[in-house]
Amino acid sequence: MMNEFTIANMLDLNETIAAELFEGKTYPWEVLPEIGDFIMKLGPTLNPSEYECKDGNIWIARSAKVAPTASITGPAIIGKDAEIRHCAFIRGKAIVGEGAVVGNSTELKNAVLFNKVQVPHYNYVGDSVLGFKSHMGAGSICSNVKSDKKLVVVKDGEEKIETGLKKFGAMLADHVEVGCGSVLNPGTVIGRNCNIYPLSPVRGCIHADSIYKNASEIVKKQ
């Protein structure tokens, strides 16, 4: 069943400037250790008429809207027509896709946001990949370190994949809706077109086209 949670089945690589980062890999979390180096490789190749380079390692599209109160630490790429709102906190190793929204008091770290992603209110997204048009409701977060500090294991029922990663937030496929106040525990992987009910503590793998009501009630969309 883990085949459902491969890059090919979760993400439209036409909807990210970082497609090359995912090439040759099977699962989306495999990119996490390479995001920073990839930005430093890609940034200098971006057209300076379209992207302004700041501080040597931050590339911001000239069509993007960045609030003067936002804090951006490199390496980072802010895509075309993206919106970085008041008091957003981008801590480095972050790629924000075209038309994406990073909202007030939202914090990003070591993350790839595909095009049209919305993390608009009080979200934490660390060591995570958010697919095309995925949306995190207000106050929903990606918890990226286990309380026992052990390496993260991706679990789908009895199937397990050792990631070798201590820090691993969540992998959201394209068109995922996460309800307000939800916590995506370390190693959470959510398939395409899923809806997560508000205030949900989510862990493990959620199969595509599902509605997550609670851990014991996950139903297929009709």
Side-chain angles (χ1 to χ4, degrees):
M1 296 294 283
M2 283 295 189
N3 183 58
E4 182 184 326
F5 301 105
T6 60
I7 292 166
N9 287 326
M10 289 183 65
L11 301 167
D12 182 354
L13 296 184
N14 293 314
E15 294 293 348
T16 177
I17 199 172
E20 188 180 331
L21 174 64
F22 293 84
E23 291 178 2
K25 298 176 177 64
T26 302
Y27 298 106
W29 55 85
E30 294 173 25
V31 308
L32 293 178
E34 301 179 16
I35 295 172
D37 289 341
F38 177 78
I39 293 171
M40 293 306 298
K41 174 184 171 185
L42 177 62
T45 71
L46 297 174
N47 188 335
S49 69
E50 296 178 331
Y51 287 83
E52 180 182 2
C53 181
K54 296 187 175 183
D55 299 328
N57 63 357
I58 302 169
W59 290 268
I60 300 177
R62 297 182 185 277
S63 59
K65 295 180 181 178
V66 180
T69 51
S71 173
I72 304 176
T73 301
I77 295 173
I78 310 299
K80 297 175 183 176
D81 300 312
E83 186 177 352
I84 312 299
R85 293 177 177 166
H86 173 66
C87 288
F89 183 29
I90 298 177
R91 278 174 49 204
K93 299 182 181 179
I95 297 173
V96 176
E98 296 182 9
V101 175
V102 180
N104 62 304
S105 304
T106 289
E107 180 179 348
L108 305 183
K109 189 270 294 186
N110 199 50
V112 179
L113 276 55
F114 277 52
N115 298 343
K116 304 290 181 123
V117 166
Q118 292 197 347
V119 282
H121 314 284
Y122 308 103
N123 305 110
Y124 174 68
V125 182
D127 302 284
S128 299
V129 175
L130 308 187
F132 175 59
K133 281 192 174 180
S134 58
H135 168 253
M136 295 185 67
S140 59
I141 66 169
C142 302
S143 174
N144 63 333
V145 179
K146 294 175 65 176
S147 58
D148 60 10
K149 306 299 189 289
K150 291 182 178 178
L151 300 180
V152 175
V153 178
V154 174
K155 299 177 182 178
D156 181 23
E158 297 301 312
E159 290 188 79
K160 298 179 181 180
I161 296 179
E162 303 277 352
T163 69
L165 299 168
K166 182 180 178 182
K167 293 188 175 183
F168 177 147
M171 302 289 125
L172 271 55
D174 300 336
H175 302 286
V176 168
E177 288 280 342
V178 178
C180 297
S182 294
V183 176
L184 309 181
N185 285 280
T188 296
V189 184
I190 303 177
R192 275 191 166 120
N193 305 309
C194 284
N195 287 64
I196 308 298
Y197 267 27
L199 299 176
S200 296
V202 187
R203 65 181 68 248
C205 294
I206 310 300
H207 292 269
D209 302 304
S210 295
I211 299 172
Y212 182 103
K213 298 183 178 182
N214 56 62
S216 59
E217 190 176 6
I218 303 170
V219 300
K220 275 288 183 184
K221 289 185 176 180
Q222 300 298 316

